[in-house]
Amino acid sequence: MIRPVEPAPTGIGLVAPFDFALDRELWRWLPAHVDLYTTRLPYLSDPVSVQLATALSDPRGVRNATRDVLAPEPSAVAYSCSSGSFVDGAAGEAAIVAAMLDAGAPAAVTTSGAMVAALTEIGAQRVALVTPYVDAVTDKLVDFLAAFGITATARFDLGLSGGIWKTSYTDVRNAVSTVDINGADALFIACTNVPTYDLVAPLEAQLEVPVLTANQVTMWAAMRDAGVIGVDAPGSLFADRGEDLTAA
């Protein structure tokens, strides 16, 4: 009897903000043979704001944290933070990636870079946004997308200055129901501290557009760079499984 070939164990390093609380959700995106090695940036006392996002965008801090996850030899390292990777624009995101590579990461992605890559993958140039942020932070997200030729067609901000990880699925659903999807090629739900895993598939069925989320795109991009393919995960972004909603 021929035994199936088991995939080789693979590791992904993860640098997260100090207040990241959704480790379990990130694990759910990964197949069983992929491990996640996580570290966090130092604690900061600022409320969720442009000031805090700017502090989290410091390439030096991300470089140092990247070194912390290299001992188990991950195949790729992800900086899992939306606002910290878009607040300083495309140049700021590129500087973070460069710092991670300089630290020794074999491949490096950020949540915002992964967002752009995922929107490009599904052919989306117009996107509706749901964020937990105050308006000034979401403004930076809109500017970041515009730098890549992607237009924000509509947005809804929860206006939270803290405790984002306490956001419930009901909160997310209510926010999505408020944003206007008309004219959008996709919906993006920002922030890696917003839970979305169980919402992606039902929201895509309801809205009939691809739904991308911060944790989803981060893990998708990190696995792609780590050579992990054929992943059974929610959403039309994982085009090798399920219905391709972009062709509907």
Side-chain angles (χ1 to χ4, degrees):
M1 183 178 71
I2 299 176
R3 295 182 178 178
V5 177
E6 295 184 2
T10 302
I12 291 173
L14 188 87
V15 176
F18 64 93
D19 61 346
F20 180 69
L22 300 186
D23 301 67
R24 185 179 296 275
E25 168 153 322
L26 290 186
W27 277 97
R28 295 182 71 188
W29 290 103
L30 304 177
H33 69 286
V34 179
D35 289 317
L36 195 62
Y37 317 131
T38 306
T39 191
R40 283 165 170 74
L41 296 175
Y43 172 77
L44 297 169
S45 60
D46 298 316
V48 177
S49 60
V50 171
Q51 179 181 351
L52 177 61
T54 300
L56 293 172
S57 72
D58 185 349
R60 294 169 298 179
V62 180
R63 180 190 298 113
N64 292 338
T66 298
R67 292 196 181 108
D68 292 341
V69 296
L70 294 180
E73 300 181 355
S75 298
V77 179
Y79 179 40
S80 185
C81 181
S82 293
S83 62
S85 56
F86 68 61
V87 69
D88 289 328
E93 192 274 338
I96 292 172
V97 170
M100 297 167 74
L101 295 173
D102 181 64
V109 300
T110 72
T111 298
S112 296
M115 170 189 63
V116 171
L119 288 168
T120 301
E121 177 77 9
I122 64 173
Q125 295 182 312
R126 296 169 59 82
V127 59
L129 303 174
V130 168
T131 89
Y133 310 128
V134 296
D135 288 347
V137 176
T138 304
D139 289 344
K140 295 289 187 179
L141 172 56
V142 171
D143 291 343
F144 181 85
L145 288 166
F148 293 91
I150 300 169
T151 301
T153 60
R155 57 189 268 190
F156 181 80
D157 309 331
L158 289 170
L160 302 178
S161 60
I164 291 175
W165 68 89
K166 299 175 184 177
T167 304
S168 68
Y169 278 171
T170 298
D171 294 331
V172 176
R173 279 189 174 277
N174 289 341
V176 170
S177 70
T178 302
V179 72
D180 184 4
I181 303 297
N182 291 323
D185 302 320
L187 169 71
F188 180 70
I189 303 173
C191 190
T192 54
N193 245 346
V194 172
T196 56
Y197 185 90
D198 295 304
L199 296 180
V200 173
L203 284 176
E204 284 197 337
Q206 173 189 338
L207 301 173
E208 298 185 334
V209 296
V211 174
L212 305 181
T213 77
N215 285 330
Q216 177 205 43
V217 300
T218 303
M219 292 295 94
W220 169 80
M223 285 190 284
R224 180 192 59 178
D225 282 2
V228 179
I229 59 176
V231 177
D232 183 13
S236 55
L237 176 61
F238 292 89
D240 52 2
R241 45 85 56 199
E243 179 186 5
D244 182 2
L245 293 180
T246 63

Short mmCIF file of all heavy atoms in Angstrom, two decimals, residues 41 52-60 62 79 83-88 92 95-96:
data_model
loop_
_atom_site.label_atom_id
_atom_site.label_comp_id
_atom_site.label_asym_id
_atom_site.label_seq_id
_atom_site.Cartn_x
_atom_site.Cartn_y
_atom_site.Cartn_z
N LEU A 41 5.67 43.16 20.47
CA LEU A 41 6.41 44.40 20.69
C LEU A 41 6.21 44.87 22.13
O LEU A 41 5.23 44.49 22.78
CB LEU A 41 5.92 45.47 19.72
CG LEU A 41 6.17 45.19 18.23
CD1 LEU A 41 5.53 46.28 17.39
CD2 LEU A 41 7.66 45.08 17.93
N LEU A 52 -0.20 56.10 18.36
CA LEU A 52 0.15 54.73 18.71
C LEU A 52 0.58 53.95 17.47
O LEU A 52 1.57 53.22 17.49
CB LEU A 52 -1.02 54.03 19.39
CG LEU A 52 -0.79 52.55 19.74
CD1 LEU A 52 0.36 52.39 20.71
CD2 LEU A 52 -2.07 51.92 20.30
N ALA A 53 -0.16 54.10 16.38
CA ALA A 53 0.19 53.39 15.15
C ALA A 53 1.59 53.78 14.68
O ALA A 53 2.36 52.93 14.22
CB ALA A 53 -0.85 53.68 14.07
N THR A 54 1.92 55.06 14.81
CA THR A 54 3.25 55.53 14.42
C THR A 54 4.33 54.88 15.28
O THR A 54 5.38 54.47 14.78
CB THR A 54 3.33 57.05 14.50
OG1 THR A 54 2.35 57.63 13.63
CG2 THR A 54 4.71 57.56 14.11
N ALA A 55 4.07 54.77 16.57
CA ALA A 55 5.03 54.11 17.45
C ALA A 55 5.21 52.64 17.08
O ALA A 55 6.32 52.10 17.12
CB ALA A 55 4.57 54.24 18.90
N LEU A 56 4.12 51.99 16.69
CA LEU A 56 4.19 50.58 16.31
C LEU A 56 4.82 50.37 14.94
O LEU A 56 5.15 49.23 14.58
CB LEU A 56 2.78 49.98 16.31
CG LEU A 56 2.09 49.86 17.67
CD1 LEU A 56 0.64 49.44 17.49
CD2 LEU A 56 2.83 48.88 18.57
N SER A 57 5.00 51.45 14.19
CA SER A 57 5.56 51.34 12.85
C SER A 57 7.08 51.48 12.83
O SER A 57 7.68 51.41 11.74
CB SER A 57 4.96 52.42 11.93
OG SER A 57 5.46 53.71 12.27
N ASP A 58 7.70 51.66 13.99
CA ASP A 58 9.15 51.87 14.05
C ASP A 58 9.88 50.62 13.55
O ASP A 58 9.80 49.56 14.18
CB ASP A 58 9.56 52.17 15.49
CG ASP A 58 11.03 52.53 15.63
OD1 ASP A 58 11.79 52.35 14.65
OD2 ASP A 58 11.43 52.98 16.71
N PRO A 59 10.59 50.70 12.43
CA PRO A 59 11.28 49.52 11.91
C PRO A 59 12.28 48.92 12.88
O PRO A 59 12.51 47.70 12.86
CB PRO A 59 11.99 50.05 10.65
CG PRO A 59 11.21 51.25 10.24
CD PRO A 59 10.75 51.87 11.53
N ARG A 60 12.87 49.74 13.75
CA ARG A 60 13.86 49.21 14.70
C ARG A 60 13.22 48.23 15.67
O ARG A 60 13.79 47.18 15.98
CB ARG A 60 14.52 50.36 15.46
CG ARG A 60 15.37 51.28 14.59
CD ARG A 60 15.76 52.53 15.34
NE ARG A 60 14.58 53.31 15.72
CZ ARG A 60 14.62 54.45 16.40
NH1 ARG A 60 15.80 54.95 16.79
NH2 ARG A 60 13.52 55.10 16.70
N VAL A 62 10.46 46.46 15.15
CA VAL A 62 10.07 45.26 14.42
C VAL A 62 11.30 44.41 14.09
O VAL A 62 11.24 43.18 14.14
CB VAL A 62 9.29 45.63 13.14
CG1 VAL A 62 8.89 44.38 12.38
CG2 VAL A 62 8.05 46.45 13.49
N TYR A 79 4.72 40.62 10.10
CA TYR A 79 4.39 41.66 11.08
C TYR A 79 2.89 41.82 11.05
O TYR A 79 2.32 42.39 10.12
CB TYR A 79 5.09 42.98 10.76
CG TYR A 79 4.75 44.07 11.75
CD1 TYR A 79 4.64 43.79 13.12
CD2 TYR A 79 4.52 45.37 11.35
CE1 TYR A 79 4.31 44.77 14.03
CE2 TYR A 79 4.20 46.37 12.25
CZ TYR A 79 4.09 46.06 13.60
OH TYR A 79 3.75 47.03 14.50
N SER A 83 -2.62 48.85 11.35
CA SER A 83 -2.32 50.28 11.45
C SER A 83 -0.83 50.55 11.53
O SER A 83 -0.33 51.52 10.94
CB SER A 83 -3.03 50.90 12.66
OG SER A 83 -2.58 50.31 13.87
N GLY A 84 -0.08 49.70 12.23
CA GLY A 84 1.36 49.89 12.36
C GLY A 84 2.10 49.70 11.06
O GLY A 84 3.25 50.14 10.93
N SER A 85 1.46 49.07 10.07
CA SER A 85 2.13 48.89 8.78
C SER A 85 1.57 49.76 7.67
O SER A 85 2.14 49.81 6.59
CB SER A 85 2.09 47.41 8.36
OG SER A 85 0.78 46.88 8.31
N PHE A 86 0.45 50.49 7.93
CA PHE A 86 -0.02 51.42 6.89
C PHE A 86 0.13 52.89 7.27
O PHE A 86 0.05 53.77 6.41
CB PHE A 86 -1.46 51.13 6.46
CG PHE A 86 -2.56 51.37 7.48
CD1 PHE A 86 -2.79 52.62 8.02
CD2 PHE A 86 -3.39 50.33 7.87
CE1 PHE A 86 -3.83 52.84 8.94
CE2 PHE A 86 -4.43 50.53 8.78
CZ PHE A 86 -4.63 51.80 9.32
N VAL A 87 0.35 53.20 8.55
CA VAL A 87 0.28 54.58 9.01
C VAL A 87 1.32 55.49 8.35
O VAL A 87 1.06 56.68 8.13
CB VAL A 87 0.40 54.65 10.55
CG1 VAL A 87 1.81 54.28 11.01
CG2 VAL A 87 0.02 56.03 11.07
N ASP A 88 2.48 54.94 8.01
CA ASP A 88 3.53 55.75 7.38
C ASP A 88 3.57 55.56 5.86
O ASP A 88 4.57 55.86 5.22
CB ASP A 88 4.90 55.41 7.98
CG ASP A 88 5.02 55.92 9.40
OD1 ASP A 88 4.42 56.96 9.73
OD2 ASP A 88 5.71 55.26 10.21
N GLY A 92 6.76 53.59 4.45
CA GLY A 92 6.87 53.06 5.80
C GLY A 92 6.71 51.56 5.83
O GLY A 92 7.45 50.86 6.55
N ALA A 95 9.83 49.98 4.56
CA ALA A 95 10.91 50.07 5.54
C ALA A 95 10.80 48.97 6.59
O ALA A 95 11.81 48.42 7.05
CB ALA A 95 10.91 51.45 6.20
N ILE A 96 9.57 48.63 6.97
CA ILE A 96 9.37 47.55 7.94
C ILE A 96 9.80 46.22 7.33
O ILE A 96 10.50 45.41 7.97
CB ILE A 96 7.91 47.49 8.39
CG1 ILE A 96 7.57 48.74 9.22
CG2 ILE A 96 7.63 46.23 9.20
CD1 ILE A 96 6.09 48.86 9.56
#
